[in-house]
Amino acid sequence: MGGVTLPPAAWRDRAGLARVIDALGSGTARIVGGAVRDTLLGIDTADVDLATTHAPETVVDLLEAARIKAVPTGIKHGTITAVASDEVYEVTTLRRDLETDGRHATVAFTDDWREDAARRDFTINALYADPASGEIFDYFGGIDDLAARRVRFIGDPLTRIAEDHLRILRFFRFLARFGDVADVEGLKACADRANDLMALSRERIANELLRLLVAPRAPEVVASMVEHGIFVPVLPEIVDVLQLAALARREDEAGIAPDPIRRLAAILPSNAATVATIGARLKLSKLQRRRLESAAEPVDMEPRALAYRLGTEFAVDRLLLAGDSLGDLDGWTPPALPLSGGALVAKGLTAGPDVARTLHRVEDRWIAEGFPDAARVAEIADEEVAQVLADIRKS
């Protein structure tokens, strides 16, 4: 396997991991997937998954015998969640596919590591490491692909896509996160089978797309997806992605982390009604839909006023998408109006519509003056109350 070993990493010294490995027994478990890939790339990793030759029921017995909590989160597909020393690990029995329909798979368990690797999606995700020695097991050239920053399907791309249609979007997400080179065969297969995405739930599509949009090379990769017609079957409204590249530059210049909903807004039409339809189609949360619809509206006031009216997150969305300055929003929290309706009654107004209208007028002036202190608000309130009382006397 080329003599490559896993470099040192903080996660390798976790107490919980050592307990799980000891419980499963020497030689029966390997670290697999993202933790191996990310560590080889020098990227911090949060989740550490293990593959094992033990049957799921045996995994449960071994963990419980070692006083490790075993949760049968996906026991039908061979996955047990181990909770050791307040750390969580997914332990999955080696598998091979018996039947797939592009959305779900029926699996059988195996003790063949290569057979388990062959059912995975990309070569860079089919890397295994011995937890003790760090020896890497690479059955399909994943190490070379990592070195070349190349995203490549294992075996025939069309077969991999037929097994799980979501792999079309995963191909582009991994390309945006890890890749400089798109495998030509894989790219063509994704383009040829883009219509397969229609068979997936919109929640799965949305989840994968939102993760893709915040990846380092998202602007270039999304542009390639549009060029190859990937979105046409499920999101035909995405036709212009120049705004995404511009937004990414603005986020970087402002020192603001990429945000998936803001970036989604950048590739959708600036039409609140259309955006609302898309948000519903993708089954986004109510808050996410509100942000999308708000982001489609123009900027019509200065930054702090916008943040006060909409909330800071919504204001930042609009300002960045419009290419406007964020002004002095950094570190600023919208204040509460230092005035109540009761205070207006104490100044001589009768409780009712006049109080509400006056409160709104005071608030508008307070915002326009840049949120002055309570003393100035009291002066504004006196002026507005005097005007209301004068109008009442005239009538």
Side-chain angles (χ1 to χ4, degrees), residues 162-231:
E163 291 166 349
D164 184 354
H165 305 323
L166 192 67
R167 286 173 173 169
I168 295 172
L169 295 182
R170 283 174 61 82
F171 177 82
F172 290 103
R173 175 164 68 85
F174 278 84
L175 184 60
R177 186 178 177 197
F178 302 112
D180 291 331
V181 182
D183 176 61
V184 174
E185 243 187 284
L187 183 59
K188 183 179 186 305
C190 288
D192 289 346
R193 301 307 305 175
N195 281 344
D196 291 351
L197 292 173
M198 297 174 69
L200 297 174
S201 73
R202 294 305 179 259
E203 292 95 332
R204 293 186 77 196
I205 290 172
N207 180 61
E208 201 67 30
L209 176 58
L210 293 178
R211 295 172 72 186
L212 186 162
L213 285 171
V214 295
R217 293 185 62 242
E220 304 99 302
V221 169
V222 171
S224 176
M225 294 172 74
V226 171
E227 179 185 351
H228 289 87
I230 305 300
F231 290 117

Side-chain angles (χ1 to χ4, degrees), residues 69-120:
K69 184 178 180 180
V71 184
T73 44
I75 194 165
K76 180 180 177 183
H77 290 89
T79 299
I80 305 299
T81 298
V83 184
S85 303
D86 296 321
E87 302 162 11
V88 177
Y89 300 93
E90 283 199 350
V91 183
T92 303
T93 302
L94 304 185
R95 299 174 292 185
R96 59 186 174 88
D97 289 335
L98 294 178
E99 185 178 330
T100 59
D101 63 3
R103 293 176 298 171
H104 310 287
T106 302
V107 301
F109 302 125
T110 179
D111 59 2
D112 187 323
W113 293 96
R114 183 186 177 88
E115 194 171 31
D116 183 75
R119 71 176 298 277
R120 296 177 181 268

Side-chain angles (χ1 to χ4, degrees), residues 118-191:
R119 71 176 298 277
R120 296 177 181 268
D121 48 12
F122 310 115
T123 60
I124 62 174
N125 290 339
L127 299 170
Y128 301 74
D130 182 274
S133 68
E135 178 186 1
I136 302 291
F137 299 87
D138 176 13
Y139 300 96
F140 298 102
I143 290 174
D144 288 342
D145 286 334
L146 270 185
R149 307 289 289 193
R150 178 172 50 238
V151 178
R152 183 167 61 89
F153 284 101
I154 292 171
D156 175 41
L158 291 173
T159 301
R160 298 285 83 79
I161 290 170
E163 291 166 349
D164 184 354
H165 305 323
L166 192 67
R167 286 173 173 169
I168 295 172
L169 295 182
R170 283 174 61 82
F171 177 82
F172 290 103
R173 175 164 68 85
F174 278 84
L175 184 60
R177 186 178 177 197
F178 302 112
D180 291 331
V181 182
D183 176 61
V184 174
E185 243 187 284
L187 183 59
K188 183 179 186 305
C190 288

Side-chain angles (χ1 to χ4, degrees), residues 286-346:
K286 289 182 180 179
L287 176 59
Q288 289 172 328
R289 294 187 208 182
R290 280 177 31 227
R291 280 186 66 195
L292 275 185
E293 293 167 37
S294 171
E297 300 292 344
V299 174
D300 53 3
M301 57 188 81
E302 63 88 25
R304 284 194 170 183
L306 196 65
Y308 178 80
R309 294 294 193 189
L310 302 178
T312 302
E313 187 176 48
F314 283 55
V316 169
D317 288 346
R318 278 201 202 176
L319 292 164
L320 286 177
L321 287 164
D324 290 359
S325 169
L326 297 182
D328 48 5
L329 283 185
D330 187 30
W332 184 75
T333 301
L337 176 67
L339 183 72
S340 66
L344 294 179
V345 172

Side-chain angles (χ1 to χ4, degrees), residues 255-275:
I256 291 177
D259 180 273
I261 295 299
R262 185 188 307 128
R263 288 194 167 193
L264 177 59
I267 60 176
L268 297 180
S270 297
N271 180 289
T274 301
V275 165

Side-chain angles (χ1 to χ4, degrees), residues 358 361-362 365 379-389:
T358 304
R361 283 197 295 270
V362 172
R365 289 180 60 182
E379 292 175 0
I380 296 172
D382 287 341
E383 293 168 9
E384 292 295 335
V385 168
Q387 184 61 54
V388 173
L389 294 175

